[in-house]
Amino acid sequence: MRRVRIGLGLASIFAASFAAAQSGDSSRHSGYQDMGPALQKMQDDDSANPGMLFVQAGEALWNQRTGAANKACADCHRAAAATMKGVAVRYPAIPPGTAKPVDLEGRINLCRTANQKAEPLAGESRELLALTAYLARQSRGLPIAPPDDPRLGPFREQGAELYKRRQGQLNLACATCHDANAGKKLAGVTIPQAHPDGYPVYRLEWQSLGSLKRRLRNCLVGIRAEAYAYDAPEYVLLELYLMDRAKGMKLEAPGVRP
Amino acid sequence: MVNVLINVPKTAKRGDVVEIKALILHPMETGFRPGTNGRIIPRNIVERFSATWNGTEIFRMTMTPAIAANPFVSFFAVANESGTIGFRWSGDEGFLAEESVTITVA
């Protein structure tokens, strides 16, 4: 019931405000700024931000030997503070010797399988979230810097197309909400500009840390579209587009969201 | 591995009121939710949390299923002497976590 009304309401807002959508970089801001001061404080305080529990767990995993190779990430990469600084801000990227972009989670799993000779970690598993959060934390405060690898161009364009394509029973595009109606209210919630700068985030509604993929799935379900399969390439395409759109914004992971 | 974040000032002046913050990774499963198989997921919560200052209890609370996952507790104490602040969480399924930090009171 409520969702349907929201959908209809949005459709009429949408027509009126599309022109205002093409907001320039100057008005670009993080979902952090759409939150109340209590949640902002929670994100800023490393001893109150529950995402830091996962960062701590990620550090332990970084140093733990595993797999048939009996190697820890640290055996090859040494201190993450030095070797992983600036890595998270340039994913998704195309790993050497391959042709398709992977996100940071995918890159971690490549090392799991190829270098540790271990099983890949399941998507949204505590281990994968922890390692991702630990790596993202090494880039906190750095500007998002998508690689200028020309091979990424076509993938990014596909991501942009997905972003603008209407879908689901509510027939809405990501752009309908996040470009045309960002800053307005959807039910009680301020529609953010959909920047990936805080991910993985600790979302209070989830009572857990979650990946950008999980966030995108929530939005797809919200517009009553069939969410892409967990391992579908569409998420990486959308992430590529979102990271490019947020180029230059500071990475704030692990963020906190309501 | 116990996954806990504690925030206590390293030093304080005698008589200062210090804030003590403790965050722990715990699912706080309510015992009211059905799992994907339709059966109720058994309750798994932290039931008790307490803190001691040089062995003397200074704070205690009982937790309930209504408390969210990864409970964060913040409270205040008067700094009277240097020493160790101990933390203890216990609950369902034999859960027990202990952590301690030191504080210098001058």
Side-chain angles (χ1 to χ4, degrees), chain A residues 70-250:
Chain A
N70 196 30
K71 284 231 151 74
C73 317
D75 286 334
C76 296
H77 294 291
R78 307 287 151 198
T83 60
M84 290 292 144
K85 189 174 175 183
V87 170
V89 289
R90 51 181 168 75
Y91 273 76
I94 301 177
T98 68
K100 287 216 179 95
V102 297
D103 53 17
L104 190 56
E105 286 92 334
R107 176 66 251 202
I108 292 169
N109 266 335
L110 280 180
C111 269
R112 283 274 303 181
T113 50
N115 290 320
Q116 290 182 311
K117 309 267 182 257
E119 289 292 306
L121 296 166
E124 294 311 299
S125 62
R126 183 175 283 182
E127 290 86 356
L128 188 54
L129 286 169
L131 276 170
T132 311
Y134 180 60
L135 294 194
R137 178 71 180 78
Q138 311 308 324
S139 292
R140 191 195 262 179
L142 296 180
I144 291 175
D148 44 19
D149 181 347
R151 292 173 301 164
L152 285 171
F155 293 107
R156 215 172 265 144
E157 265 158 44
Q158 288 180 51
E161 242 162 63
L162 283 174
Y163 185 85
K164 287 170 194 145
R165 182 189 300 164
R166 286 173 172 271
Q167 53 180 328
Q169 289 181 327
L170 296 186
N171 198 29
L172 294 169
C174 316
T176 319
C177 286
H178 294 299
D179 289 348
N181 288 293
K184 297 196 184 135
K185 294 280 183 191
L186 178 61
V189 179
T190 303
I191 302 177
Q193 294 177 355
H195 294 303
D197 58 321
Y199 285 77
V201 297
Y202 190 88
R203 190 167 182 220
L204 300 188
E205 188 181 311
W206 295 335
Q207 297 193 31
S208 171
L209 200 72
S211 68
L212 183 57
K213 188 189 270 189
R214 182 170 181 190
R215 176 63 254 181
L216 301 189
R217 289 180 69 87
N218 276 199
C219 280
L220 288 165
V221 169
I223 54 177
R224 300 199 190 166
E226 199 175 320
Y228 313 114
Y230 269 100
D231 52 359
E234 278 86 349
Y235 297 109
V236 176
L237 300 178
L238 278 167
E239 284 176 35
L240 269 170
Y241 174 66
L242 291 176
M243 287 295 269
D244 197 50
R245 196 168 155 268
K247 188 177 185 166
M249 293 176 74
K250 290 194 164 61

Side-chain angles (χ1 to χ4, degrees), chain B residues 56-100:
Chain B
T56 307
E57 188 172 82
I58 54 164
F59 183 90
R60 171 176 4 130
M61 77 181 279
T62 307
M63 294 196 183
T64 68
I67 292 178
N70 310 322
F72 175 61
V73 181
S74 155
F75 57 95
F76 295 87
V78 178
N80 284 328
E81 56 189 29
S82 296
T84 303
I85 306 177
F87 302 85
R88 190 173 195 273
W89 295 257
S90 63
D92 294 330
E93 298 180 9
F95 183 79
L96 179 67
E98 285 178 309
E99 190 63 82
S100 63

